[in-house]
Amino acid sequence: MKRASSSPGILRLPLFLLIWGIASLAMWVPAVHALVLDDHPTSQSFFYSGIVGLMLVTLIGLSVGNRVPRYGMLGQLLSLLATFAVLPLFLAIPTYDALQNTTYLNAYFDMVSAITTTGADIFADPDRLPAGVHLWRAQVGWLGGLLMWIAASSVLAPLSLGGFEVTARGEPGRGDIAPAHMQRGDPRRQLVLVTKALVPIYVGLTLALWVLLMMTGGDSLSALSHAMSVLATSGISAVGGVENANSGLAGEMVMFLFMFFALSRLTFSTDTAGAGYVRLDKDPEFRVGMILVIGVPLLLFFRHWLAALEVSATEDLPQALHSLWGTVFTVMSFLTTTGFESADWIAAQQWSGLGTSGLILMGLALVGGGVATTAGGVKLLRVYALYLNGLREMERLVHPSSVSGEGAGNKRLQKDGAFVAWVFFMLFALSLAVVSSSLAALGSDFEQALVLAIAALSTTGPLIHVAGDSAISLALLEPSAKMVLCFAMVLGRLETLAIIALLTPNLWRN
């Protein structure tokens, strides 16, 4: 007798089809928004694209609905890859149809940038886009962030990927400290449990930030796009950045508080933490992030203060405080790979006459935020593992016969966590070299190629406009260079180890 499936019929569909169906339904949100604004051409583009998407999902779902998936977690990982690389082919259709003055490749690039939460703006002028397209770009980025929240504990954690490979639960014999829903089992059941737990939190935080930004003076569209972008760390703005919004200093302060959710998973959920390691003040990621958020602005402020001392400008206290705030906000924004630039970021240069090197912002983006958050980059936990290993090596130089004890701060890391973190760092550096060399071969100079590669691999698109001596125009790149950047954005979002896992035949045979 055949055992009945315990999952609802819709959950028996492949994960990619479920995501495609949700994206099709989401198209009706900008369609209604454009209809309210009497922008009927834009409304029709999104409405009919949503209908076509639902029809295709229904037909494909009927043809594969009775098939039992052959692969478990790796099949889910493959669905994530398809979501970031293939689904934008469909998501770009309404944008391409609504604009009528861009190429389909540009629309595809923009959707890859949005769903990977990179936020690389290929449409430099915000006035060029209708309000419905602005809403759609922010919405796709927001959905991409939600997908990473869910996939972190339901897909990546059981496979020991995405930063979990350096934790103790990724070490044989110590996996029992992981929560029950992260143990290997029915992938669909894990997906349902995590989704039910995280969706209300994600939606609630976004609505709260949206309301607060409107209370500080922002209009509804820009406030919503900024709220979605902060939670997803996508850096997508309907007005070209927070410096052009009406929310002012109060709005930046509110966004700054919500950026803490990208420093550590423990700020909003304990689903990926082992038993006994759920205190935020003891979390190494959060503590390293706070050190960077406090230390880097103070160093920059001290540098500018010394320069201001030479020009007798140190008595201008209000401008000094604006300079300090602009540095704190921008450092936090790029550390979490959001990429918003404070309106007071240029206050430091005006105060002291010194510029701030874009290398600092690129370095912060490379470090990135917390494991299992929407932030990109190398991740704070891997940096912390390398720091502990370096500290231990220096102790051995002083005391060669010493024995290292496992302190409370590093019980979350496995014994070979630093080695695994170093392997990932080398793979990341190799990816950076390959992508930057490819871009240089396709016509970009060295500086542009390096900035573009770091922006794509760290999923921090706004670096393209602020890290170099001048803003880089993505629209002027060769089509082949745009495709290389699309590949780099997907690689940066899923990370190199996940791609290697998909290419390992032995894992698919298990």
Side-chain angles (χ1 to χ4, degrees), residues 155-474:
V155 178
L156 299 180
L159 291 173
S160 295
L161 297 172
F164 293 99
E165 70 278 359
V166 304
T167 61
R169 68 161 309 278
E171 183 178 1
R174 297 179 66 182
D176 56 328
I177 67 173
H181 71 275
M182 288 171 54
Q183 304 292 337
R184 290 180 180 267
D186 184 7
R188 298 174 185 276
R189 178 177 176 273
Q190 297 178 18
L191 187 64
V192 172
L193 290 176
V194 175
T195 301
K196 287 181 179 179
L198 293 184
V199 168
I201 299 175
Y202 195 74
V203 174
L205 290 174
T206 305
L207 291 177
L209 181 54
W210 181 27
V211 171
L212 290 173
L213 289 177
M214 287 193 293
M215 291 174 62
T216 57
D219 63 88
S220 59
L221 179 59
S222 65
L224 180 59
S225 67
H226 291 161
M228 288 181 170
S229 297
V230 168
L231 266 298
T233 67
S234 64
I236 296 174
S237 174
V239 292
V242 297
E243 66 272 17
N244 299 321
N246 297 324
S247 54
L249 179 61
E252 289 187 5
M253 289 182 175
V254 171
M255 286 187 281
F256 177 81
L257 294 177
F258 279 78
M259 288 179 187
F260 279 98
F261 292 106
L263 288 183
S264 172
R265 181 84 168 189
L266 294 182
T267 54
F268 58 87
S269 175
T270 59
D271 61 338
T272 59
Y277 306 100
V278 296
R279 287 185 54 178
L280 187 61
D281 61 328
K282 300 295 183 181
D283 181 42
E285 285 186 312
F286 188 79
R287 296 170 70 176
V288 172
M290 289 303 301
I291 291 173
L292 292 174
V293 171
I294 296 173
V296 174
L298 287 178
L299 289 175
L300 291 176
F301 179 79
F302 183 69
R303 170 177 176 265
H304 286 292
W305 183 81
L306 289 178
L309 184 64
E310 296 179 358
V311 296
S312 301
T314 56
E315 296 180 358
D316 192 352
L317 182 60
Q319 191 171 8
L321 293 177
H322 279 287
S323 170
L324 180 60
W325 167 252
T327 306
V328 170
F329 178 89
T330 306
V331 165
M332 170 66 100
S333 179
F334 279 89
L335 178 63
T336 59
T337 68
T338 303
F340 281 145
E341 183 180 351
S342 172
D344 293 321
W345 174 243
I346 61 174
Q349 288 88 327
Q350 294 175 347
W351 177 45
S352 65
L354 290 178
T356 299
S357 175
L359 286 174
I360 297 176
L361 300 180
M362 289 193 290
L364 291 169
L366 282 176
V367 172
V371 168
T373 66
T374 55
V378 175
K379 300 296 192 308
L380 291 167
L381 190 61
R382 294 190 179 104
V383 173
Y384 179 70
L386 293 175
Y387 160 76
L388 287 181
N389 185 72
L391 189 64
R392 173 57 187 155
E393 291 300 322
M394 287 189 291
E395 289 177 352
R396 291 178 63 183
L397 290 176
V398 179
H399 303 287
S401 301
S402 64
V403 178
S404 175
E406 187 179 52
N410 60 350
K411 288 182 179 178
R412 189 179 172 187
L413 303 176
Q414 64 162 294
K415 183 172 58 176
D416 296 327
F419 174 76
V420 179
W422 182 252
V423 169
F424 174 84
F425 185 81
M426 288 295 98
L427 290 174
F428 189 92
L430 179 62
S431 303
L432 179 61
V434 171
V435 172
S436 58
S437 299
S438 300
L439 292 172
L442 295 172
S444 299
D445 59 44
F446 175 78
E447 180 184 352
Q448 287 187 348
L450 184 62
V451 171
L452 289 171
I454 292 177
L457 290 173
S458 66
T459 67
T460 316
L463 278 174
I464 295 171
H465 304 289
V466 300
D469 293 333
S470 59
I472 302 173
S473 177
L474 293 173

Side-chain angles (χ1 to χ4, degrees), residues 50-258:
I51 290 179
V52 171
L54 288 177
M55 291 176 59
L56 292 175
V57 169
T58 301
L59 293 175
I60 298 175
L62 290 174
S63 63
V64 302
N66 292 327
R67 296 180 59 185
V68 178
R70 183 180 176 184
Y71 305 108
M73 285 297 176
L74 285 176
Q76 306 285 44
L77 188 60
L78 186 61
S79 295
L80 288 180
L81 176 62
T83 299
F84 293 128
V86 179
L87 185 60
L89 292 171
F90 170 71
L91 302 179
I93 293 175
T95 301
Y96 172 72
D97 185 63
L99 291 181
Q100 296 290 324
N101 59 356
T102 189
T103 63
Y104 180 76
L105 177 59
N106 286 347
Y108 172 77
F109 179 94
D110 187 62
M111 287 296 100
V112 173
S113 172
I115 200 168
T116 58
T117 71
T118 303
D121 192 359
I122 198 170
F123 307 115
D125 185 9
D127 295 331
R128 177 185 176 187
L129 306 181
V133 176
H134 278 301
L135 178 59
W136 175 239
R137 297 176 70 244
Q139 189 176 326
V140 171
W142 183 79
L143 291 173
L146 176 60
L147 178 62
M148 288 309 300
W149 264 32
I150 295 172
S153 56
S154 63
V155 178
L156 299 180
L159 291 173
S160 295
L161 297 172
F164 293 99
E165 70 278 359
V166 304
T167 61
R169 68 161 309 278
E171 183 178 1
R174 297 179 66 182
D176 56 328
I177 67 173
H181 71 275
M182 288 171 54
Q183 304 292 337
R184 290 180 180 267
D186 184 7
R188 298 174 185 276
R189 178 177 176 273
Q190 297 178 18
L191 187 64
V192 172
L193 290 176
V194 175
T195 301
K196 287 181 179 179
L198 293 184
V199 168
I201 299 175
Y202 195 74
V203 174
L205 290 174
T206 305
L207 291 177
L209 181 54
W210 181 27
V211 171
L212 290 173
L213 289 177
M214 287 193 293
M215 291 174 62
T216 57
D219 63 88
S220 59
L221 179 59
S222 65
L224 180 59
S225 67
H226 291 161
M228 288 181 170
S229 297
V230 168
L231 266 298
T233 67
S234 64
I236 296 174
S237 174
V239 292
V242 297
E243 66 272 17
N244 299 321
N246 297 324
S247 54
L249 179 61
E252 289 187 5
M253 289 182 175
V254 171
M255 286 187 281
F256 177 81
L257 294 177
F258 279 78

Side-chain angles (χ1 to χ4, degrees), residues 484-502:
V484 170
L485 285 177
C486 288
F487 167 78
M489 287 186 286
V490 175
L491 181 62
R493 181 72 280 179
L494 272 183
E495 297 188 348
T496 314
L497 292 177
I499 303 299
I500 293 176
L502 288 173

Side-chain angles (χ1 to χ4, degrees), residues 43-57:
S43 178
Q44 290 174 357
S45 298
F46 284 98
F47 180 74
Y48 292 128
S49 297
I51 290 179
V52 171
L54 288 177
M55 291 176 59
L56 292 175
V57 169

